Amino acid sequence: MTVGTSSAPGGPRAARPPAPRPAAPAGLGIDPDQLPDGLVVADEHGRVICFNAAAARITAVPAERALGRRLDAALPLEDLEGRRWWQLTDPYGGLAIRVSQPERNLLLPGGREVLVSARYVRTGPAGPVHRVVVSLRDTEARRRTERHHAELIAIVAHELRSPLTSVKGFTATLLAKWERFTDEQKQLMLETVDADADRVTRLIAELLDISRIDSGRLELRRQPVDIGAAVGRHIQAYVAAGQPADRFLLRIQHPLPDLWADPDKVDQVLSNLLENAVRHGEGTVTIDITPSAFPRDRENGEHAATSVTVSDEGPGIPEESMNRVFTRFWRGSKRGGTGLGLYIVKGIVEAHGGTITVGRAPGGGAELRFTLPVAAPAYLS
């Protein structure tokens, strides 16, 4: 006779067999030494049975010295208050329902800080611990990011303080003593306030660009761009502002391929490169626009691109500084600025799929060259 099972809530149910676990795909075996993070595994007796190369690098303990030792001896961790971590957490004798330890900052001998998380592999729910799997990560990258953020905040605070102090001072003076000033004096003060407001706006725009570049959210609105005309507009603006016309030499090699790019972002790149050449360079500022080839991939070979080279006749960039030109806060001189312009330029060029390089111009000055592939947007392909 077969015994039926009730489907009513609370009634007896036949035990269902556990769902089969999917087998790992063949050939997916991974050597622990290939993992980017430190991996330490202890068996049911608390003895280390795995200590990969990253763990040895992070802890400065050779794997052969750690294997076979007790986990607390091979990996002596303390919390930030100096308490022994394994005594506090007691993975083998602690709560039977605990299956993990969340990532937190702990200290190795000598005070080196690491990020540690742990997983307790149990033989069953609330069963004894079969394995303790520990992940280690170096905190240097995080500290470097935190230092960059701190530097950014300090520079922004410094750069904002000067124009905001000026704006506050002039507006307060005008409001308090408006009748005492001539029209010329009022106009001069208001022009200064306007210029300082533009400076604050530019700084905020730079911060937004950095945020978008770092998070990969820089949006491009591609459309046909006449790169020669764009450069010409920048040169005309400098001439109108008082720069001699013969300081600029624009050379365009025709025919140029059709360039599809974000015109506002291209203008931003040109503005930064020309401003650097005018402010920090000397002599003639030469802008060369040439067709070029851009590597696509091995199968498709190369495709059309446009290159723009901006060079000057000044002292140039020292060789030892060239690998830092496109990093945050790099400044070529003591003439002010946030040091963020070329970092943003690199981010914009790379968002277009292009490249940018720095070198020495034939006349001895700095030479910055960016190349943009000219492919049309996908919806026109």
Side-chain angles (χ1 to χ4, degrees):
M1 182 176 67
T2 304
V3 179
T5 58
S6 170
S7 60
R13 293 176 179 267
R16 293 181 180 178
R21 298 178 64 183
L28 202 60
I30 297 177
D31 185 342
D33 288 341
Q34 296 174 344
L35 297 175
D37 294 337
L39 175 67
V40 180
V41 181
D43 63 13
E44 64 270 22
H45 305 296
R47 302 283 177 180
V48 174
I49 58 174
C50 176
F51 201 85
N52 74 345
R57 173 180 54 79
I58 293 170
T59 62
V61 175
E64 56 271 16
R65 209 171 87 195
L67 292 172
R69 299 182 70 189
R70 290 189 55 82
L71 181 59
D72 57 352
L75 194 62
L77 295 167
E78 294 182 351
D79 66 12
L80 300 184
E81 297 177 5
R83 297 174 297 184
R84 295 180 181 273
W85 180 241
W86 296 118
Q87 290 182 6
L88 286 176
T89 56
D90 192 11
Y92 293 93
L95 285 174
I97 59 172
R98 187 180 294 280
V99 294
S100 65
Q101 287 288 343
E103 185 176 71
R104 66 194 68 206
N105 287 43
L106 297 175
L107 300 176
L108 290 167
R112 184 176 182 183
E113 197 170 319
V114 290
L115 293 169
V116 180
S117 58
R119 185 82 179 174
Y120 304 158
V121 181
R122 297 183 180 275
T123 56
V129 171
H130 178 63
R131 293 282 188 273
V132 174
V133 182
V134 183
S135 173
L136 303 174
R137 288 200 297 146
D138 200 338
T139 61
E140 184 56 35
R142 178 179 289 187
R143 286 188 176 185
R144 191 160 50 243
T145 300
E146 290 172 351
R147 283 198 300 271
H148 286 167
H149 287 165
E151 290 172 359
L152 183 60
I153 290 171
I155 288 176
V156 169
H158 175 76
E159 292 292 327
L160 283 174
R161 181 167 50 191
S162 176
L164 289 178
T165 301
S166 171
V167 167
K168 177 62 179 175
F170 279 121
T171 54
T173 301
L174 285 170
L175 288 171
K177 303 177 182 180
W178 178 266
E179 300 297 336
R180 300 185 187 182
F181 296 107
T182 65
D183 288 344
E184 291 79 9
Q185 289 172 324
K186 293 174 184 176
Q187 181 173 350
L188 177 62
M189 291 184 184
L190 290 173
E191 286 175 349
T192 303
V193 169
D194 185 62
D196 285 333
D198 286 341
R199 183 176 165 189
V200 172
T201 301
R202 283 196 304 271
L203 180 59
I204 292 172
E206 285 184 345
L207 294 175
L208 290 173
D209 285 335
I210 287 177
S211 173
R212 295 184 185 115
I213 289 169
D214 287 348
S215 63
R217 294 185 292 106
L218 187 67
E219 295 182 1
L220 301 178
R221 294 176 174 84
R222 294 181 186 267
Q223 52 188 283
V225 174
D226 186 338
I227 192 73
V231 173
R233 288 194 298 272
H234 284 280
I235 292 175
Q236 290 171 5
Y238 275 109
V239 173
Q243 289 288 334
D246 59 0
R247 188 176 181 191
F248 300 93
L249 174 61
L250 173 59
R251 300 187 296 204
I252 304 177
Q253 182 181 331
H254 292 288
L256 290 173
D258 295 332
L259 175 62
W260 286 79
D262 186 317
D264 292 335
K265 297 292 188 289
V266 170
D267 266 343
Q268 194 173 350
V269 170
L270 294 173
S271 175
N272 269 287
L273 297 185
L274 288 170
E275 182 181 359
N276 277 329
V278 170
R279 179 185 294 181
H280 305 297
E282 297 172 5
T284 302
V285 176
T286 302
I287 304 98
D288 288 298
I289 305 175
T290 59
S292 62
F294 198 88
R296 180 182 293 173
D297 51 50
R298 290 184 179 180
E299 289 75 21
N300 298 318
E302 298 178 333
H303 60 181
T306 296
S307 291
V308 180
T309 305
V310 179
S311 56
D312 62 71
E313 298 173 341
I317 299 170
E319 290 287 340
E320 62 273 14
S321 298
M322 284 190 179
N323 62 341
R324 296 187 288 112
V325 166
F326 300 111
T327 59
R328 290 185 185 185
F329 315 124
W330 182 83
R331 299 179 184 184
S333 71
K334 303 295 185 182
R335 301 182 198 180
T338 59
L340 299 173
L342 290 180
Y343 177 82
I344 294 172
V345 163
K346 183 174 184 286
I348 292 173
V349 170
E350 291 181 346
H352 280 84
T355 60
I356 186 166
T357 58
V358 61
R360 188 167 294 280
E367 178 182 280
L368 288 104
R369 182 175 190 258
F370 70 92
T371 301
L372 298 179
V374 299
Y379 64 86
L380 293 177
S381 301

